Amino acid sequence: SRMTEAQDVLKNIQRKPGLQIWTISKMKMVPVPEQAHGNFFEGDCYIILNVSNSTSQSTDIHYWIGNTSSQDEQGAAAIYVTQLDKYLGGSPVQYREVQGCESAKFKSYFKNGLIYKKGGAGSGFTHVETNTFNIQRLLHVKGTKHVTAREVEVSWSSFNLGDIFLLDLGKAVIQWNGPQSNRQEKLKAVLLAQDIRDRERGGRAQIGVIEGGQEEASPELMKLMISVLGQRTGHLKESIPDDKPDQNQTSIIKLYQYEHCNFGQLLVQEVATSPLTQDLLSSSDCYILDQGGSSVMVWKGKAASDEERSSALSRAVGFIKAKNYPSNTKVEVMSEGGESAMFKHLFKSWKEKGQTQGLGRTHSVGKIAKVDQVKFDVMELHAQPKLAAQERMVDDASGHIQVWRIENLELKEVNPSTFGQFYGGDCYLVLYTYNRANKQQYILYMWQGRHATQDEVTACAYQAVNLDNKYNGAPTQVRVVMGKEPRHFLAIFKGRLIIFEGGTGRPGVVNPDPGARLFQVRGTHEMNTKATEVPGRASSLNTNDVFLLKTHQNVFLWYGKGCSGDEREMGKAVADLLSEQDKQIVMEGQEPAAFWVALGGKAPYATDKRLEKEVAPHEPRLFECSNQTGRFLMTEVADFTQDDLDEDDVMLLDTWEEIFLWIGNSANQYETQESYNSAVEYLKTHPAGRDPGTPITTVKQGHEPPTFTGWFNAWDAHKWSGGLSYEEMKSKLGCYLVFIFFLTLSLFQEYLTDAEFENLFGCTRNNFQRLPKWRQNDLKKKAGLF
């Protein structure tokens, strides 16, 4: 009966980019609402499905085991995972995650941190209200790259000097920083507090920060903490040392083959040790790859028996027990053809099906094409449902579109003639309506511009809830990050998607004149094309793409050597949308002087030969580097973008033919000095037996060469000047704002000096009191008090 229940749940699962999460409640899969993503009850098990937005469109299934969850729930979760994998065609990679020892990939889904909650979800969990304020909890925050927060007893005895604690009171979140915590930890905790405010409280909560070593500097916040926690007696505990990070880069790997024998017994035998070669894997068998006990991977051949394939997860868990590995050892399960990057990286060479020797172009269906350039024929969606799953397309994108822009925090309908034009200074809601089985279905996309104000982002989320309610909660909500638009979002705009870096599309607003504007056009047909504005400099060019350069006098269409005829056609179509002027075609290497003048002069750009070619068997991978334990450790960043380069770190970009070490401005000196040795060590100990002569290039933040930036889409060289430091973030929050919820305005005023009052409201105290009530409320709103 559980199998039948599983099938009923699976029928309703939508294949869409992004995260979907379920908890196991009363042995059933119950969806977790989006605003509760990142919250995990210790007494429960969860299933997480992630469909990436990258060109590879990979699918991952994680099952998460809470420390106090029951064996029954763990068993139910495992069954559901196997069923879900089968339902999705066996291509996803499966991961087993244990509370407190989650993989870097899993943590990367929750950019602002994981929160462990006491107890089990129970039945109330499915009704998480965005605007519930009767909350009192204390969160113990740890980590600098991937943050975890555990609910602890609301008492001074839970505090220590080295960590950060969030006292969450619903309408106010007070962050207390241990005197021994560092700047990066403080910044991450602020981001977690903001995430709680925006996602769980609909933007309606205030955040205050107390420095644990200078509590006297925040008397009012301390008063509030003491009113909840009581007076503190005695000293706080010393800091708890961080757990040593797992050694997930290890050179001792072994490959085992497993098969069923008579009487249901399992036979496991060692096949090889590193370096491994792909020909060791036979399609008719299943294998276990043991990475020195730090992680266990299972590979399922496509011709292996159903029994062997469906029992892969339980076999891996059995293998861990037999080897006496810790119960929290990481497990990954994958099918032939759907291998994870990590798995492929453990093999000396890896050749994809249909790929010619070396890094040549792939020959598919008798013509030369890049992998992502294969035409997407919508008719095939119906003939081959598996294609729909791989492309993450719910339909053929022929449904109805409505678009609204957030203006003065309200919804304003956008004129259909400008559909597809998105400005980085705005937020938009896009409602897509389509029919399935004679029933109307909805997808509500929330597109948030990189330069939109916090008020607009909050209003966008708030208006999405209103629109959702209007349709009785039927729409599937998808938050779209500027620059990471999912495939279906591209398709519904039929090749008309243009993303402007800044400015606004509001009628009547004159955007500042940027002079020359440069757009990178990517796509081969109207279902997968978008144009993204990039900085108007020569260094933004990339030999793999089509670029459109628009000046007051001319419109140039620049064709890189690596672009195909299809890409050129789409470039022309986008150019016609942007300008009615005649276009001047420019071939790479034959540019007229006026072209370089418009870009501010000639400069090196991404011309790596590999960018002209089919996606290589080893996709580029980005790692955060750490030498804390005296051994080289690295944590992988999944679906990386420029935003993942952290100025407090050294990052390693491995493109297989070359290794880049990116040194952040605030990376500690020891790590910076050691980073080169670390990279040499990385090559030496790499399980795939890498060439030790692979070039290693050191790159400094703010001075990245195009050979490095070419691996990132729409690189922004001005990004670093805009990032806020912890100090700026803290002053922006304005600690004293927290009291608006607890004190009347007259009382609140007493706590502000005249200068603070004037700074906050933009007028003197006396003038403020003379204003009509509506104007006072207006100023309070502006100051962020509502």
Side-chain angles (χ1 to χ4, degrees):
S1 72
R2 195 177 290 164
M3 286 295 183
T4 321
E5 278 172 15
Q7 275 146 7
D8 288 347
V9 172
L10 298 174
K11 271 182 209 156
N12 298 317
I13 288 175
Q14 290 177 304
R15 300 176 169 105
K16 56 179 183 180
L19 271 189
Q20 293 175 74
I21 303 180
W22 298 266
T23 185
I24 304 298
S25 178
K26 297 183 180 150
M27 301 300 147
K28 291 197 171 125
M29 257 173 98
V30 180
V32 175
E34 199 173 334
Q35 63 263 35
H37 284 188
N39 291 294
F40 292 91
F41 284 90
E42 299 183 329
D44 288 327
C45 291
Y46 292 80
I47 292 170
I48 293 92
L49 172 66
N50 182 58
V51 178
S52 85
N53 281 336
S54 66
T55 47
S56 57
Q57 295 277 308
S58 58
T59 306
D60 298 291
I61 303 171
H62 300 254
Y63 98 94
W64 185 91
I65 300 169
N67 283 344
T68 57
S69 60
S70 70
Q71 286 296 325
D72 284 352
E73 281 179 323
Q74 292 178 24
I79 288 172
Y80 278 124
V81 166
T82 307
Q83 289 291 308
L84 179 58
D85 182 61
K86 208 169 182 180
Y87 175 73
L88 295 170
S91 62
V93 179
Q94 299 169 39
Y95 301 83
R96 175 176 173 269
E97 309 282 356
V98 177
Q99 181 183 339
C101 303
E102 295 87 355
S103 65
K105 189 180 188 72
F106 181 84
K107 288 177 180 172
S108 73
Y109 302 147
F110 308 99
K111 293 282 186 204
N112 293 316
L114 298 173
I115 298 176
Y116 301 139
K117 303 177 92 152
K118 282 192 180 304
S123 56
F125 186 60
T126 48
H127 308 292
V128 173
E129 294 295 332
T130 312
N131 305 322
T132 305
F133 295 113
N134 56 339
I135 286 165
Q136 194 175 103
R137 60 177 178 171
L138 182 63
L139 297 173
H140 179 180
V141 183
K142 284 186 88 70
T144 52
K145 189 76 181 170
H146 298 299
V147 177
T148 56
R150 198 163 50 88
E151 247 181 68
V152 290
E153 192 194 336
V154 184
S155 151
W156 285 115
S157 62
S158 299
F159 284 69
N160 72 65
L161 298 169
D163 291 328
I164 292 170
F165 294 81
L166 296 180
L167 180 61
D168 182 1
L169 303 172
K171 284 196 171 180
V173 180
I174 301 174
Q175 175 175 333
W176 183 92
N177 295 331
Q180 291 158 23
S181 58
N182 66 38
R183 189 174 65 91
Q184 184 67 0
E185 290 170 322
K186 292 173 187 179
L187 177 59
K188 289 291 183 179
V190 166
L191 293 172
L192 175 62
Q194 288 182 328
D195 193 45
I196 292 169
R197 174 194 67 192
D198 297 342
R199 224 152 32 97
E200 296 182 30
R201 311 291 146 73
R204 291 180 285 283
Q206 296 296 335
I207 298 166
V209 182
I210 298 174
E211 295 299 342
Q214 306 161 310
E215 291 180 338
E216 64 288 347
S218 313
E220 299 309 328
L221 286 171
M222 281 306 295
K223 227 181 257 180
L224 194 53
M225 281 192 81
I226 289 164
S227 74
V228 176
L229 299 166
Q231 279 293 347
R232 191 167 63 209
T233 54
H235 295 297
L236 292 178
K237 286 186 289 217
E238 281 303 309
S239 61
I240 304 157
D242 287 335
D243 295 335
K244 283 192 174 180
D246 290 337
Q247 175 64 31
N248 50 15
Q249 171 67 23
T250 174
S251 51
I252 314 156
I253 53 170
K254 290 186 175 177
L255 186 69
Y256 298 85
Q257 182 184 336
Y258 75 78
E259 56 186 305
H260 289 276
C261 309
N262 302 334
F263 316 117
Q265 283 181 311
L266 184 75
L267 179 67
V268 178
Q269 59 186 68
E270 191 177 316
V271 177
T273 57
S274 57
L276 302 177
T277 53
Q278 195 179 356
D279 55 13
L280 292 164
L281 302 170
S282 155
S283 291
S284 54
D285 293 311
C286 291
Y287 297 83
I288 292 175
L289 192 149
D290 177 6
Q291 201 176 354
S294 68
S295 77
V296 168
M297 302 179 189
V298 182
W299 184 88
K300 303 180 291 187
K302 54 175 179 254
S305 72
D306 276 355
E307 193 185 0
E308 280 176 7
R309 289 175 60 81
S310 61
S311 60
L313 195 58
S314 53
R315 294 291 162 245
V317 176
F319 179 83
I320 286 169
K321 281 187 183 145
K323 285 278 194 183
N324 282 326
Y325 290 154
S327 60
N328 58 21
T329 299
K330 294 180 183 63
V331 173
E332 247 182 74
V333 180
M334 67 208 73
S335 289
E336 181 177 351
E339 296 84 1
S340 67
M342 189 70 221
F343 184 83
K344 287 192 245 184
H345 245 60
L346 297 174
F347 287 77
K348 191 163 180 65
S349 60
W350 190 275
K351 199 165 155 232
E352 298 291 0
K353 195 177 169 212
Q355 181 194 308
T356 54
Q357 202 55 43
L359 291 168
R361 292 170 183 262
T362 290
H363 294 269
S364 57
V365 209
K367 71 169 207 163
I368 292 174
K370 292 185 198 163
V371 166
D372 61 5
Q373 287 179 5
V374 177
K375 276 271 193 260
F376 179 73
D377 180 356
V378 294
M379 291 315 292
E380 290 181 20
L381 277 176
H382 311 293
Q384 292 176 271
K386 199 171 172 199
L387 183 71
Q390 284 165 351
E391 297 289 2
R392 318 296 160 224
M393 304 287 282
V394 294
D395 69 342
D396 61 2
S398 63
H400 177 64
I401 312 174
Q402 284 165 280
V403 184
W404 295 267
R405 187 188 296 107
I406 302 293
E407 288 185 27
N408 302 323
L409 311 188
E410 298 298 328
L411 284 184
K412 205 65 181 273
E413 244 184 287
V414 170
N415 186 326
S417 67
T418 63
F419 276 7
Q421 296 179 27
F422 290 85
Y423 289 82
D426 289 327
C427 288
Y428 300 82
L429 289 180
V430 177
L431 183 69
Y432 178 76
T433 310
Y434 63 105
N435 280 311
R436 183 187 282 160
N438 295 326
K439 189 172 174 247
Q440 287 212 313
Q441 312 271 353
Y442 306 94
I443 300 177
L444 180 59
Y445 290 105
M446 290 172 277
W447 190 95
Q448 297 170 354
R450 192 180 291 128
H451 305 291
T453 65
Q454 186 56 53
D455 282 355
E456 286 169 327
V457 171
T458 305
C460 182
Y462 175 72
Q463 295 292 357
V465 171
N466 286 349
L467 210 53
D468 192 51
N469 292 339
K470 196 173 156 189
Y471 288 89
N472 300 319
T476 298
Q477 290 188 33
V478 181
R479 182 170 162 269
V480 178
V481 176
M482 178 174 169
K484 284 191 170 184
E485 291 76 17
R487 175 71 187 265
H488 186 257
F489 189 83
L490 268 58
I492 64 177
F493 289 106
K494 308 281 184 295
R496 303 174 70 86
L497 186 60
I498 301 170
I499 293 157
F500 297 91
E501 175 57 32
T504 175
R506 293 172 204 191
V509 178
V510 180
N511 289 318
D513 179 14
R517 299 189 92 150
L518 186 64
F519 296 85
Q520 182 174 19
V521 184
R522 282 199 162 164
T524 49
H525 47 83
E526 62 174 28
M527 300 291 270
N528 70 357
T529 296
K530 72 170 171 179
T532 311
E533 186 172 4
V534 293
R537 292 186 299 279
S539 58
S540 298
L541 297 171
N542 186 321
T543 199
N544 198 24
D545 294 312
V546 172
F547 283 80
L548 185 75
L549 175 62
K550 188 174 183 293
T551 70
H552 296 307
Q553 292 80 30
N554 303 304
V555 179
F556 296 102
L557 254 177
W558 184 86
Y559 294 146
K561 287 177 183 167
C563 68
S564 67
D566 288 337
E567 286 176 310
R568 292 174 192 191
E569 284 308 309
M570 290 319 298
K572 280 181 195 158
V574 173
D576 290 339
L577 289 172
L578 275 166
S579 171
E580 290 169 6
Q581 279 174 265
D582 284 345
K583 320 296 180 296
Q584 191 176 338
I585 303 286
V586 174
M587 306 302 286
E588 182 178 4
Q590 299 167 26
E591 297 86 354
F595 178 82
W596 294 121
V597 169
L599 288 175
K602 209 167 177 178
Y605 58 87
T607 54
D608 192 308
K609 280 278 175 274
R610 199 168 139 202
L611 292 168
E612 294 178 25
K613 296 172 185 166
E614 186 268 312
V615 177
H618 296 285
E619 287 191 13
R621 297 169 73 201
L622 185 71
F623 299 89
E624 173 208 1
C625 301
S626 157
N627 276 72
Q628 290 162 12
T629 57
R631 289 185 72 187
F632 179 69
L633 290 169
M634 51 188 212
T635 311
E636 181 155 18
V637 180
D639 284 343
F640 67 86
T641 65
Q642 187 182 358
D643 290 336
D644 294 308
L645 298 174
D646 192 325
E647 32 194 326
D648 283 281
D649 282 328
V650 174
M651 313 289 291
L652 184 145
L653 178 72
D654 180 2
T655 67
W656 200 264
E657 272 109 16
E658 189 168 5
I659 302 261
F660 290 96
L661 284 167
W662 181 89
I663 315 284
N665 285 340
S666 309
N668 76 52
Q669 214 178 345
Y670 175 73
E671 266 182 359
T672 306
Q673 286 164 350
E674 287 295 301
S675 59
Y676 185 81
N677 298 341
S678 304
V680 172
E681 187 65 16
Y682 165 59
L683 282 172
K684 213 188 288 173
T685 62
H686 199 289
R690 295 282 288 278
D691 175 1
T694 302
I696 298 170
T697 307
T698 301
V699 170
K700 297 278 177 31
Q701 180 184 339
H703 304 279
E704 296 84 0
T707 49
F708 176 82
T709 60
W711 300 103
F712 296 80
N713 189 22
W715 177 272
D716 176 10
H718 292 305
K719 174 183 163 52
W720 310 123
S721 51
L724 290 179
S725 69
Y726 165 68
E727 286 74 17
E728 290 164 327
M729 188 81 84
K730 184 179 157 188
S731 67
K732 203 174 162 196
L733 290 169
C735 301
Y736 42 75
L737 299 190
V738 107
F739 293 102
I740 193 65
F741 295 110
F742 305 97
L743 306 162
T744 64
L745 185 64
S746 57
L747 263 175
F748 175 64
Q749 289 173 26
E750 291 170 23
Y751 292 108
L752 297 179
T753 65
D754 286 349
E756 282 173 334
F757 191 102
E758 204 164 329
N759 186 29
L760 186 62
F761 294 106
C763 66
T764 65
R765 209 183 293 261
N766 289 340
N767 287 348
F768 181 91
Q769 279 154 357
R770 288 193 197 111
L771 293 170
K773 200 82 188 142
W774 66 268
R775 185 73 184 108
Q776 286 186 5
N777 286 341
D778 229 25
L779 289 175
K780 280 193 256 173
K781 258 186 203 167
K782 251 190 179 154
L785 299 181
F786 284 150

